[in-house]
Amino acid sequence: MAKVIEGLYYSESHEYVRVEGDFGFIGITDYAQNALGNVVYVDIPEVDDEVTAGEEFGAVESVKAASDLISPVSGTVVEVNEALDDQPELVNQDAFANWIIKVEMSDKAELDNLMDAKAYAAFCEK
């Protein structure tokens, strides 16, 4: 069973958001990194780029597949996890500790469209 952490928000495309004030740390879930296998590259947007809920903001590539990253919330990228440039495998080691982008959210009400940990765990079991 993939790890699911309480207090995060989850999307059906297997991204999570950890909220701190007006900021959201977005990454892929443990379930997603497990399904992808060994991550070899993470395509990350630039600081000051805008992301839109439900739209692509980058991609994760593994030895067996490439998967688009879909933003669970809208906002402005204020920080990127530069460690992933040199060590994309960090996503496999701990998907929740190794977020991909930090976004200043433009509409926190969008979080209401996402699943909590319990709902996401049930979703993954389907």
Side-chain angles (χ1 to χ4, degrees):
M1 171 75 195
K3 183 168 75 170
V4 177
I5 295 180
E6 290 289 335
L8 302 182
Y9 296 86
Y10 297 89
S11 68
E12 289 188 0
S13 53
H14 304 288
E15 287 84 16
Y16 68 82
V17 183
R18 185 180 82 234
V19 176
E20 292 183 9
D22 292 331
F23 298 98
F25 293 82
I26 300 171
I28 65 169
T29 65
D30 191 52
Y31 180 93
Q33 72 79 19
N34 215 12
L36 280 167
N38 292 332
V39 173
V40 294
Y41 178 71
V42 183
D43 180 28
I44 304 175
E46 304 284 322
V47 170
D48 293 331
D49 281 1
E50 297 290 323
V51 296
T52 303
E55 294 190 10
E56 181 186 333
F57 72 85
V60 176
E61 293 178 21
S62 71
V63 288
K64 62 182 180 182
S67 181
D68 289 339
L69 294 167
I70 308 299
S71 187
V73 293
S74 302
T76 304
V77 178
V78 294
E79 192 178 337
V80 298
N81 187 347
E82 292 178 0
L84 298 177
D85 286 342
D86 297 325
Q87 296 178 285
E89 68 277 4
L90 290 170
V91 171
N92 294 120
Q93 292 168 17
D94 189 337
F96 293 113
N98 292 289
W99 50 273
I100 296 169
I101 58 173
K102 178 181 176 182
V103 173
E104 185 169 4
M105 294 181 287
S106 56
D107 182 4
K108 289 178 80 172
E110 290 174 340
L111 295 168
D112 297 339
N113 301 327
L114 303 172
M115 292 176 274
D116 64 11
K118 185 176 178 185
Y120 181 70
F123 175 78
C124 289
E125 286 174 12
K126 289 180 186 170

